[in-house]
Amino acid sequence: MADPGAPAGRDGPLTWGQRDIWRAVLAAAPQERYLNIARVFAAPKRPVTVERAALALERLVARHESLRTRLTGPRDAPLQRVWPVACPPYEVVESGRAGSEPVGPGPVDSGAVGSGVVGSETVGSGAVGSLLAEEVGERLAAEPFAYWEEWPLRVAFVVAGGYVRHIVLVLCHLAADGHAAELVVKDFRLLLLRDSLPPLRSATPRELAAWQHSPEGRRVSGEAIGFWLEEYARMDPVPPSSHVPGEPRFVEATMRSPALAAATQEVAARNRVSSSTVLLAGAMRLAGRLTGQRFCGMRVIVNNRFAAARRDVVSTISQEALVVLDLRTESFDALVRQAWGTALRAYRQAQYDPYAMEEAVTRAGPGIRSFGCFNDQRLVQEDGQAAALEGKTEVARTDAMDRNICDFRLHVGGEPGRMEVSCYADTALLPPPGIEQYLLDLEGLIVEAART
């Protein structure tokens, strides 16, 4: 669905998903680095030179227009501009060259092209190289993007023995959501092995934005807004925060739990639902205990790639769905089954203009709000493959910041068999010990449900 006749450098509106992210950027700036998406992966076993990796990068950026896009226009109402050519700078992080001087930055244009090697460090190979590749990823993701001047992709090639061993990608969230980041990694892997890939058949970000601003797009947005207002009307009020906020204001804790991974799969298999549904039901059960609500609402991130034309879109098209549950159920299993059907209906209403949504909710009256956000970022859940309920649980504080658009969010990730759940909360809502306890309570709730 490409538009080969489109003039180069044409400005256009942001997609609804990009508008959502831009609202988050403005709310958290200048600490919006948490929105950056880092991916580190091993190069193919066949020898890959830096030159071949750089060529694959060039072809990757040519393939996906979101990687050739920068913002333009005013900060309070930006547009996006797609360039015909873009060559993001990349770093070479090389082993065996202790004390080497960094290579100067390659030419970065004032409009369409930037390329070159921008640095060199010393790393090891094998497991050590993998570990340090992760450290390079953390460094590259540690600063917000310069949205008007910088390409939305930072790259490093970790080299040992003359060949690239690991690739580090950091994506700006305006260019990709979590699913799109995995598509970029898949394409990069394939381009390291092949000279080309089949043509894309998915819609481009510009085509999606054009549809969203069409009469049909506005109709879809209006229906979603109507659904949300009806669901908000069902919710009990959320009481105001009762704690004195700390400094920094927002704190994140992360729990790594084999027991939670196994228990979630057990409950999911018993109720014939996804493990994500079990976690959502548990998160909302605990939210209701904090707020005293019977009818509680939580926003859930939906990738919005159900249609074939959007399945492989590399852009930010994910948005939030509003899931409202009646928490007064006879059992946790009953709540899980309720969450399954309710969430499926809500997922169909997760495409809308966020500014129109905000205006409609504001008009509906004060005090209308849901409790936090739930985001299951796992692509592979391995549902139904429950393991023994054992293993050490680890909880640690992992981040803190002063500004954020959301007062509570729960992220699910990790590897199969070792689930990782992060809770990021306003300390006026939950002090840091309460954030850690929320995670442990989630584990306890679902582990107990698996045993009964």
Side-chain angles (χ1 to χ4, degrees), residues 167-232:
I167 292 91
V168 180
L169 303 179
V170 175
L171 290 146
C172 174
H173 209 337
L174 287 169
D177 51 26
H179 188 87
E182 299 304 324
L183 293 172
V184 169
V185 170
K186 182 186 74 172
D187 282 356
F188 206 158
R189 287 181 187 273
L190 291 173
L191 286 167
L192 290 170
L193 294 169
R194 309 174 185 175
D195 292 329
S196 63
L197 293 175
L200 286 172
R201 298 187 180 277
S202 291
T204 67
R206 279 186 295 178
E207 290 170 338
L208 286 174
W211 175 82
Q212 290 168 351
H213 287 77
S214 72
E216 174 67 10
R218 289 193 292 270
R219 181 190 65 78
V220 169
S221 177
E223 289 181 355
I225 291 170
F227 172 84
W228 277 57
L229 292 177
E230 291 175 357
E231 293 300 287
Y232 272 129

Side-chain angles (χ1 to χ4, degrees), residues 415-434:
E415 301 174 355
R418 189 170 176 81
M419 185 174 290
E420 184 175 289
V421 184
S422 296
C423 179
Y424 211 126
D426 185 344
T427 53
L429 175 68
L430 274 179

Side-chain angles (χ1 to χ4, degrees), residues 294-308:
R294 172 181 174 179
F295 291 93
C296 178
M298 186 170 280
R299 302 183 308 279
V300 181
I301 302 297
V302 182
N303 75 34
N304 282 330
R305 287 176 171 82
F306 307 116

Side-chain angles (χ1 to χ4, degrees), residues 107-129:
V108 178
D109 66 53
S110 60
V113 180
S115 65
V117 179
V118 300
S120 175
E121 297 182 15
T122 300
V123 301
S125 59
V128 176

